[in-house]
Amino acid sequence: MKESALLTLFSQQKRSGLGRWARWLWLLGVSVSALAQNPHRPFTRLPYLQGSSPTQIHVLWRTEGPIQPVVRWGTRPDRLDQTVPLAAIVTRASLGTNGQPMLPQWQSLRTPENLSLPKLHSAPIGTFQYEAAIEGLSPDTVYYYGVFNGSERLTAESPEQRFQTQPKPGTVRPYRFWVLGDSGTGREAQRAVHEGMQAWVKQDGRPLDFWIHVGDMAYGTGRDVEFQSRFFESYQTTLRNSVCWPAMGNHEGHTSKGSTGIGPYYDAYWVPTRAESGGLASGTEAYYSFDHGNIHFICLDSHDLDRKPSGAMAKWLKADLEKAKAEWLIAFWHHPPYTKGSHDSDKEADLIEVRHHLLPILESGGVDLVLTGHSHVYERSMLLDGAYSTNATVAENFILDDGDGDPRGDGAYLKGAGLRPHEGAVQVVAGHSGASLGRVGTSPVMRRTLVEHGSLLVDVEGDTLVGRMINREGVERDRFSLVKRGAPLVRRLSLPWQPPEYKAPEKATKSPYPPPLDHAVLIPAGGEWRVLSGAHPQGSLWTQPGFDDSSWLLAKAPFNSGRGRLLGEGRASKEGRPSLYVRRNFTVTQADTVTELGLWVDYADGIIVYLNGQEVTRVNVGRSSGRNAQGIKLREDSGAVYVPLGSIARFLVDGVNVLAIECHAHSEGSIDFGLNPALWMED
């Protein structure tokens, strides 16, 4: 990652079965910082693990341009004596379309052989993705792997380049997995949650077996470049040695479709479609199941597929449950059936449909734990069954145990051994792993509601499951347990415990929008701009490439009337209210690798920002522009803030681009009018 003064600004917010030898190496390795880093060439996406089973696993990675892909593996990091056959490596590529402008180096790759490869949906041009299936492995065994370009080793000889195969189905031993959702912002909170989990796990001394992401891992529209910077680079230290099992969120759904299985989400992951990891074949990557020891997992697509009992997904779900023989049943997807966080499950149709159509099937199959996200909050229910109403959710007669579920408090929730229908499940909303938090109320079925960033760690050992909410500081903030033993009496409580009524803060403090952690500076603070003050330009041509700005003044920022620089001469427009127009060029080598552009800017009072002649952001300006700008609000805060630019994917081009900004004062008498912009690129 490119270090910057930004990290200093945020430092105050940051935080006030392996063998003995392998475990020691793991503890040593986990101390490495989780700070995201750009992959070293030729990698554009470092190797990561997918789709494990007792006898196979998949290693995926990307490079800039093609390589001769070789994967070697073995039981020691210094002895990789097995090689994946070339026939077991699938190659995909992004090579653009006929007539599409591209760099000459990519044009030369458009050979008939390369063009016949399976295509990546929208990866940057020149991207080659490799998917290697390592087969013939022993169950529950630690292996080490390396990726090569022919004989050239690309990954380090390190115990961190490892994986552990799944145990045989039904195996009873301790298992640990990590659950997070709505994390993919590329911001400081996301990193803190990851590091908080790593710190807690390191101190506890038991590593992860795998992890689950319940969706929204790539804000804001699930583009390929957003996956790269906001998921793969953010979690690379965990992805390289533990499998992530994904569920698609609504933000991924902007560019990926469950009905077709096409999009950046489906390019990113390999999940079982033919029961390669247990369960029942679904024939689609949109929903699937897998076994891990004595636990059966089910992943559903709650975003864009039919949720009704007559739909293909629900029919598959019923059939999968009929086949399941595990001791534990855990289901996960994106949209929560119960929440009063940043979403309301009593008002939103997709959440109501999940509750009304899918929960009855799962609870009939004996589900123990349901994991979701979407709502940016942590919520954890009591032991619950049967609350399927399409109206307001109530707890009466649907709560089977209203205790806190904490072994240190009221005690664990009790269920019968095996998969028994309608004995209750715990619902967890874990949409608090990086996105901005929110709460509209309290769901009556929830025992804990926490509006703070964090994630969930789940331990399963024999007949006992323990869940812990670990916050961004690495502190346990909630604990609950399920114990499945014997055949406890099932009783429905007519007057269960109810959570306190939620009272919204009288005036919530508005936090500034956080900048990306990984960025490059395209236009520095104090840079030179072409500037027009004391007059308005005619029309919008001044925002576009090719405009002749030679008559405009060439000056360095900041442009600040209070300091007497450029604007100190009182050069207001003829209408009386001070206005300022600035523009300058900047260069981007390959536009389709840029995740986000944003201004690190101090301004007063309103600004409108243009990229290559197209408006991409306005702040404190109600409508219109230039001499006709109206509704200009007084900026209440001060100092530099981060302002993201929208729609850049449509307007940014390879090579030279034009950034233009107009700045308007709130009133004629404004004395703090000014502008000091810098342009940042999240890459």
Side-chain angles (χ1 to χ4, degrees):
M1 173 184 165
K2 303 170 183 68
E3 298 289 351
S4 72
L6 167 65
L7 297 183
T8 302
L9 293 175
F10 276 89
S11 63
Q12 298 176 354
Q13 303 176 24
K14 180 181 174 186
R15 59 187 51 169
S16 352
L18 289 175
R20 180 182 302 174
W21 182 72
R23 183 184 293 265
W24 179 85
L25 289 171
W26 169 79
L27 288 171
L28 178 66
V30 84
S31 65
V32 177
S33 171
L35 188 64
Q37 295 182 351
N38 292 326
H40 55 83
R41 297 184 69 179
F43 288 120
T44 57
R45 181 171 294 175
L46 289 169
Y48 61 102
L49 302 176
Q50 283 287 279
S52 64
S53 79
T55 60
Q56 73 168 356
I57 200 165
H58 295 77
V59 179
L60 282 68
W61 73 95
R62 286 182 174 184
T63 60
E64 184 182 82
I67 65 169
Q68 183 184 341
V70 176
V71 177
R72 296 175 185 160
W73 54 277
T75 54
R76 289 171 43 182
D78 60 347
R79 188 179 178 184
L80 308 182
D81 53 3
Q82 303 290 319
T83 302
V84 177
L86 185 60
I89 301 179
V90 174
T91 304
R92 306 179 191 276
S94 177
L95 297 170
T97 58
N98 292 330
Q100 180 180 356
M102 66 182 68
L103 298 173
Q105 66 193 90
W106 306 141
Q107 189 68 48
S108 65
L109 293 175
R110 289 177 54 81
T111 63
E113 181 182 6
N114 287 340
L115 291 174
S116 68
L117 294 171
K119 293 178 174 55
L120 295 169
H121 175 269
S122 51
I125 295 175
T127 299
F128 282 71
Q129 177 168 302
Y130 300 95
E131 305 170 4
I134 306 178
E135 300 176 321
L137 303 171
S138 299
D140 214 2
T141 302
V142 176
Y143 293 95
Y144 302 87
Y145 69 96
V147 173
F148 296 73
N149 180 10
S151 60
E152 177 192 3
R153 185 164 190 156
L154 301 179
T155 53
E157 182 182 311
S158 166
E160 291 304 298
Q161 299 291 148
R162 70 174 186 275
F163 59 84
Q164 183 165 0
T165 50
Q166 291 183 0
K168 292 181 179 180
T171 300
V172 177
R173 70 163 178 81
Y175 301 112
R176 168 169 287 173
F177 60 95
W178 182 39
V179 183
L180 68 164
D182 302 78
S183 67
T185 64
R187 265 59 184 179
E188 190 268 345
Q190 177 184 9
R191 183 185 67 172
V193 168
H194 187 201
E195 291 182 338
M197 176 278 295
Q198 289 184 314
W200 196 96
V201 168
K202 178 184 177 183
Q203 183 177 9
D204 185 64
R206 181 193 293 179
L208 302 177
D209 287 282
F210 58 96
W211 48 303
I212 288 171
H213 202 297
V214 295
D216 284 0
M217 62 276 291
Y219 285 100
T221 57
R223 293 184 298 135
D224 195 282
V225 291
E226 291 168 332
F227 263 101
Q228 178 57 33
S229 65
R230 298 177 178 181
F231 180 78
F232 287 102
E233 291 174 17
S234 296
Y235 298 118
Q236 62 188 38
T237 56
T238 300
L239 282 161
R240 65 185 173 185
N241 51 39
S242 57
V243 172
C244 175
W245 297 94
M248 189 173 77
N250 56 291
H251 283 271
E252 288 77 56
H254 285 283
T255 47
S256 300
K257 302 302 176 186
S259 57
T260 62
I262 295 175
Y265 171 85
Y266 293 100
D267 287 343
Y269 298 110
W270 190 102
V271 299
T273 61
R274 302 193 302 272
E276 295 94 334
S277 301
L280 181 69
S282 66
T284 173
E285 291 185 295
Y287 49 88
Y288 59 93
S289 61
F290 65 95
D291 294 316
H292 195 103
N294 60 339
I295 315 170
H296 185 63
F297 290 87
I298 294 173
C299 174
L300 301 177
D301 179 348
S302 63
H303 171 61
D304 61 353
L305 295 186
D306 188 354
R307 308 177 186 95
K308 297 183 179 62
S310 57
M313 183 169 67
K315 290 180 178 179
W316 168 83
L317 174 60
K318 293 175 185 177
D320 182 84
L321 290 170
E322 290 174 359
K323 183 182 177 182
K325 303 298 182 185
E327 297 176 24
W328 291 92
L329 177 59
I330 297 174
F332 62 99
W333 60 84
H334 187 61
H335 295 81
Y338 312 101
T339 184
K340 294 287 185 179
S342 62
H343 291 271
D344 190 332
S345 59
D346 291 332
K347 295 181 179 179
E348 301 177 33
D350 42 7
L351 281 65
I352 293 170
E353 286 188 7
V354 165
R355 179 170 70 245
H356 188 64
H357 296 311
L358 296 177
L359 274 190
I361 301 172
L362 281 161
E363 292 184 348
S364 295
V367 68
D368 300 301
L369 179 64
V370 175
L371 306 166
T372 56
H374 192 53
S375 197
H376 300 172
V377 69
Y378 172 80
E379 296 169 297
R380 191 264 297 172
S381 76
M382 297 170 272
L383 193 64
L384 168 70
D385 177 81
Y388 312 136
S389 173
T390 58
N391 298 315
T393 299
V394 297
E396 289 79 5
N397 298 311
F398 299 122
I399 300 299
L400 309 186
D401 186 335
D402 63 355
D404 62 13
D406 190 334
R408 306 163 301 181
D410 297 337
Y413 300 127
L414 303 180
K415 297 186 63 175
L419 302 184
R420 300 160 65 96
H422 298 294
E423 289 198 359
V426 173
Q427 300 275 340
V428 176
V429 180
H432 63 316
S433 302
S436 57
L437 303 169
R439 182 178 182 182
V440 297
T442 301
S443 173
V445 303
M446 293 298 174
R447 202 56 164 80
R448 288 284 276 170
T449 300
L450 296 171
V451 187
E452 60 179 294
H453 287 110
S455 58
L456 179 72
L457 279 172
V458 179
D459 291 311
V460 179
E461 184 171 358
D463 62 3
T464 300
L465 179 151
V466 177
R468 296 176 175 88
M469 195 289 246
I470 307 298
N471 73 4
R472 54 176 290 158
E473 310 292 339
V475 175
E476 180 182 309
R477 295 284 284 119
D478 181 39
R479 183 187 300 188
F480 66 92
S481 180
L482 279 165
V483 174
K484 301 183 70 173
R485 190 179 301 158
L489 177 66
V490 176
R491 60 193 182 101
R492 295 180 176 272
L493 304 180
S494 58
L495 294 173
W497 174 90
Q498 289 288 281
E501 182 180 353
Y502 172 69
K503 294 183 179 180
E506 292 184 5
K507 186 176 182 181
T509 303
K510 185 178 180 181
S511 301
Y513 192 81
L517 287 173
D518 188 11
H519 73 277
V521 177
L522 296 177
I523 301 176
E528 286 190 330
W529 298 73
R530 288 290 181 176
V531 184
L532 176 68
S533 66
H536 295 291
Q538 297 295 318
S540 62
L541 288 178
W542 73 276
T543 68
Q544 300 175 14
F547 173 74
D548 182 5
D549 58 11
S550 58
S551 63
W552 289 26
L553 182 66
L554 181 64
K556 288 185 177 181
F559 314 116
N560 189 317
S561 61
R563 295 182 181 178
R565 297 196 61 180
L566 182 64
L567 304 177
E569 303 170 14
R571 301 176 66 177
S573 65
K574 294 178 181 179
E575 285 76 7
R577 183 181 61 206
S579 295
L580 172 69
Y581 300 83
V582 302
R583 54 174 275 136
R584 68 165 284 171
N585 296 342
F586 66 94
T587 301
V588 171
T589 303
Q590 192 171 356
D592 60 2
T593 65
V594 178
T595 308
E596 178 179 292
L597 293 179
L599 292 179
W600 185 250
V601 59
D602 192 0
Y603 64 94
D605 288 294
I607 56 173
I608 306 176
V609 185
Y610 304 88
L611 175 61
N612 294 326
Q614 303 293 326
E615 182 182 324
V616 288
T617 293
R618 65 171 57 205
V619 181
N620 287 347
V621 181
R623 58 187 182 276
S624 196
S625 60
R627 68 173 65 249
N628 299 316
Q630 301 177 47
I632 299 165
K633 298 179 181 178
L634 176 68
R635 184 184 173 195
E636 296 181 353
D637 57 349
S638 62
V641 294
Y642 183 75
V643 177
L645 309 185
S647 306
I648 66 163
R650 290 186 291 163
F651 308 135
L652 192 67
V653 299
D654 293 347
V656 178
N657 294 261
V658 175
L659 182 70
I661 308 171
E662 59 180 89
C663 181
H664 301 282
H666 169 65
S667 64
E668 292 186 25
S670 296
I671 60 173
D672 293 325
F673 172 61
L675 178 69
N676 188 12
L679 181 63
W680 288 3
M681 174 181 73
E682 180 185 2
D683 61 347

